[in-house]
Amino acid sequence: MLQNSPKIGHSSHVVTLDVRPQLLDTLSALRDRVDAARFPLPLAGAPRARANREELLAQLDDYLLPRLREPDAPLLAVIGGSTGAGKSTLVNSLVGRRVSEAGVLRPTTRTPVLVCHPEDHHWFSSMRVLPDLTRVWVPEQEAGDDLLLTGGNHARVLRVETADTLPRGLALLDAPDIDSLIADNRVLAARLICAADVWVMVTTAARYADAVPWHLLRTAKEYDATLVTVLDRVPHQVVSEVSRQYGALLTKAGLGDVPRFTVPELPESAWGGGLLPATAVAALRTWLVHHAQDATARQRATARTAYGLLDSLKSRLPELASAAAAQYAAALRLTSAVESAYDSEHARVRGRLQSGAVLAGDALKRWRAFPLDCTPGELLDSLVESLAALLLCSVTAADERVDEAWRREPAAGAAGLVGRDPSLENAEHRIGLAVRRWRRELEEYAEDEVRELERSIAPDAEVVAALVATTLLGGRRARNAGEGLAQRISAHGALRLRDRAGRLLTEHVDRVMHAERERRIAPLDALDVQAEPQAELIAALSVLQKER
């Protein structure tokens, strides 16, 4: 349970951490709900929702859940900031030896470096925090040794070093530049900051008004995280003026009570290769050591960050739920466009079949020539071809209507929904197979009917099949086909065969239209946009609020 306490330091309130198993279970369930949310459709708010989801998962996985499970773990201070701010030099100087590569190369910090006391190594060698990063333990190295790892994927590695110059209970993490030109570095830097008990934001006299450091500061304020700022590399002659201006900006942003430390510009920091004098970082080191070793200060620092993150869920989860609802609504519109187009064309196909539209063109010519100048096989071939053409035309028309409707939907630009093969060859092949299958089954029905006749001379089964097909597909034009069928297999047999064959035709036509509709919807279904995430996120938040 998290409880409010009186104001201390730069916080408007301070909290003490009292963790119960029920709260951990509730947070774990909430974390799973966040993980299950997906935002694949390119709607206006989708990029923000995806970023918020990733950030929230990082904060839950890398900070809140590990901290609540292990409240006695060392205080983790993440040193973050923009390119060239002097983060690595600052970390090296706080430790008292070179543990992180610093220099003029940008970006220098490619592999994040975590430094802790040797007796705290077990806390960070495990997957307790940042479980996605492979641990690499580097023994203490001599000055001048190359600290950069060679080979491998630096974005997936966390280098862990130990230094007995750091007190027990304190760990420093040198993060990549938050504005790195390398995308993986930017993502990793944001992920590492999410794992911090204390955010140490480093900027310089030349860049303290830039957008990047202020984005970090506003984010820390939004989450009410324990925050420290370092104004680095400040020329001696303007220390007072720059510090005053920076303080005024912090006050204007509502961060005037954030602990602020100034590090003057020194020869050791000019090229990033040396260590700053101990006096230059003494105040910051004292603050960090105090908050790591003093039980009350440590509890306040960790609890404040945890409480701020928990409080932020009250606005962040409804925002995710709203984005999930927008995704589902868009998916429904896309699905509805497909269903409407195919339902309309399906109804048109049924109407065309009833009107005898299949018996046209070559099929009609064949029928008029039957049986003198046209064999039953040729008549069946022409009817099958005409039926396939009708179905293909309807499927093509349905797809065109879907395309037109989807062009008005931004969500239709999702990967997997665009770039559909416009060629009709595949549809023509599928429909051709289905219609030929119907013909084979129709011929089997005709053979069954002929076998049941009590006559010494039975009619040709192929002729019977051609006549019943013409009866079903020809409408009024095929009236003579019904009469010819009755003459060959009796009126009762003709009626029975026509009913069976009619049901067979309906089944095959329905199957074709349904299969083509499902084919068009399949890429959308593969995106797995469901209705549940919206309700589940809100429900998880409600349970959490009751638990607190």
Side-chain angles (χ1 to χ4, degrees):
M1 183 173 66
L2 296 167
Q3 301 172 328
N4 290 332
S5 298
K7 175 179 177 180
I8 292 183
H10 65 282
S11 174
S12 59
H13 63 273
V14 174
V15 293
T16 56
L17 204 57
D18 180 18
V19 182
R20 291 172 293 114
Q22 296 92 324
L23 179 60
L24 277 170
D25 291 343
T26 301
L27 279 171
S28 296
L30 182 146
R31 183 260 174 220
D32 291 341
R33 297 294 180 267
V34 173
D35 187 43
R38 294 289 184 273
F39 309 95
L41 300 178
L43 303 179
R48 175 181 171 86
R50 287 191 288 267
N52 287 346
R53 172 186 174 274
E54 293 302 318
E55 182 181 61
L56 186 51
L57 283 175
Q59 289 174 316
L60 291 169
D61 289 343
D62 297 335
Y63 178 69
L64 189 57
L65 287 170
R67 173 52 68 193
L68 296 183
R69 290 188 183 113
E70 302 284 357
D72 296 328
L75 189 80
L76 178 60
V78 175
I79 317 298
S82 52
T83 301
K87 301 182 298 297
S88 298
T89 299
L90 185 64
V91 170
N92 292 337
S93 302
L94 288 169
V95 174
R97 66 177 177 86
R98 195 162 68 101
V99 292
S100 185
E101 186 71 12
V104 295
L105 177 65
R106 298 290 180 257
T108 300
T109 307
R110 289 174 286 178
T111 300
V113 181
L114 187 148
V115 192
C116 62
H117 189 276
E119 295 183 20
D120 288 336
H121 179 262
H122 66 282
W123 288 109
F124 302 104
S125 59
S126 67
M127 297 294 109
R128 186 185 66 88
V129 295
L130 301 167
D132 294 340
L133 300 183
T134 302
R135 270 42 171 189
V136 177
W137 180 60
V138 181
E140 184 171 340
Q141 295 173 306
E142 296 296 330
D145 287 350
D146 185 9
L147 295 175
L148 291 177
L149 296 179
T150 57
N153 184 356
H154 296 290
R156 311 309 306 165
V157 170
L158 174 64
R159 205 176 89 222
V160 180
E161 290 220 19
T162 57
D164 54 15
T165 52
L166 279 184
R168 289 193 61 186
L170 174 64
L172 304 178
L173 201 163
D174 185 12
D177 301 331
I178 198 69
D179 60 347
S180 173
L181 294 176
I182 302 173
D184 285 345
N185 281 0
R186 296 195 301 272
V187 172
L188 181 56
R191 176 80 183 266
L192 295 175
I193 289 173
C194 290
D197 290 300
V198 177
W199 295 23
V200 181
M201 206 288 292
V202 184
T203 188
T204 65
R207 302 191 62 184
Y208 66 86
D210 287 359
V212 170
W214 282 99
H215 172 73
L216 285 179
L217 289 170
R218 292 189 183 96
T219 301
K221 182 176 184 293
E222 178 185 353
Y223 300 152
D224 198 27
T226 301
L227 174 66
V228 173
T229 70
V230 177
L231 189 59
D232 195 14
R233 297 177 176 173
V234 184
H236 287 279
Q237 59 270 30
V238 294
V239 166
S240 298
E241 179 62 19
V242 170
S243 182
R244 183 188 64 78
Q245 291 178 0
Y246 187 45
L249 290 175
L250 289 171
T251 300
K252 184 177 180 180
L255 295 166
D257 51 0
V258 170
R260 187 171 78 253
F261 301 93
T262 301
V263 178
E265 187 175 43
L266 298 168
E268 293 86 350
S269 62
W271 298 102
L275 299 180
L276 300 172
T279 54
V281 296
L284 174 59
R285 180 182 171 86
T286 299
W287 190 95
L288 290 170
V289 170
H290 171 70
H291 281 76
Q293 294 189 328
D294 182 86
T296 301
R298 181 182 182 284
Q299 186 178 48
R300 288 170 179 170
T302 56
R304 172 181 177 156
T305 303
Y307 190 85
L309 176 53
L310 281 170
D311 269 356
S312 75
L313 298 179
K314 289 186 288 187
S315 61
R316 296 164 77 186
L317 284 182
E319 185 177 344
L320 280 184
S322 177
Q327 291 275 315
Y328 184 63
L332 281 182
R333 291 195 299 272
L334 296 179
T335 301
S336 177
V338 175
E339 292 177 343
S340 175
Y342 272 87
D343 287 347
S344 176
E345 285 301 318
H346 195 172
R348 191 178 75 86
V349 166
R350 287 194 292 265
R352 298 282 287 169
L353 289 174
Q354 290 176 359
S355 67
V358 174
L359 192 61
D362 183 64
L364 181 58
K365 288 173 59 178
R366 297 285 184 181
W367 166 239
R368 287 172 176 170
F370 181 81
L372 297 177
D373 297 323
C374 175
T375 66
E378 291 172 338
L379 177 57
L380 281 171
D381 288 342
S382 63
L383 289 171
V384 164
E385 184 178 341
S386 183
L387 176 59
L390 172 64
L391 292 173
L392 180 61
C393 180
S394 294
V395 168
T396 303
D399 279 342
E400 289 175 351
R401 288 184 58 181
V402 171
D403 290 339
E404 182 180 358
W406 280 18
R407 276 193 289 270
R408 298 190 293 268
E409 288 285 348
L417 301 184
V418 295
R420 189 176 59 87
D421 185 3
S423 172
L424 298 178
E425 293 180 1
N426 291 335
E428 185 175 5
H429 177 69
R430 290 190 299 270
I431 292 171
L433 286 176
V435 174
R436 288 192 293 274
R437 189 179 301 115
W438 166 76
R439 173 182 174 171
R440 287 196 301 272
E441 293 183 32
L442 178 66
E443 289 173 335
E444 291 173 1
Y445 282 8
E447 291 171 358
D448 292 342
E449 197 65 40
V450 168
R451 277 195 295 268
E452 293 182 6
L453 292 175
E454 297 179 356
R455 296 182 185 178
S456 58
I457 302 177
D460 185 348
E462 190 174 27
V463 171
V464 172
L467 288 173
V468 73
T470 305
T471 301
L472 292 172
L473 301 174
R476 294 180 180 178
R477 297 172 184 169
R479 189 177 305 164
N480 293 340
E483 296 173 356
L485 185 63
Q487 291 173 1
R488 286 169 172 79
I489 60 173
S490 77
H492 180 69
L495 181 61
R496 182 172 60 239
L497 178 58
R498 189 169 59 187
D499 287 345
R500 290 184 67 199
R503 289 193 297 272
L504 181 67
L505 176 63
T506 299
E507 289 173 5
H508 278 265
V509 169
D510 290 350
R511 194 177 302 155
V512 165
M513 297 302 292
H514 177 75
E516 292 301 312
R517 182 182 66 178
E518 291 304 303
R519 171 195 58 82
R520 190 62 195 266
I521 291 179
L524 182 59
D525 288 342
L527 296 177
D528 197 28
V529 180
Q530 302 292 334
E532 290 79 9
Q534 177 193 13
E536 289 176 348
L537 287 168
I538 296 300
L541 177 60
S542 177
V543 172
L544 176 64
Q545 290 175 325
K546 290 178 182 178
E547 194 59 50
R548 291 181 63 191

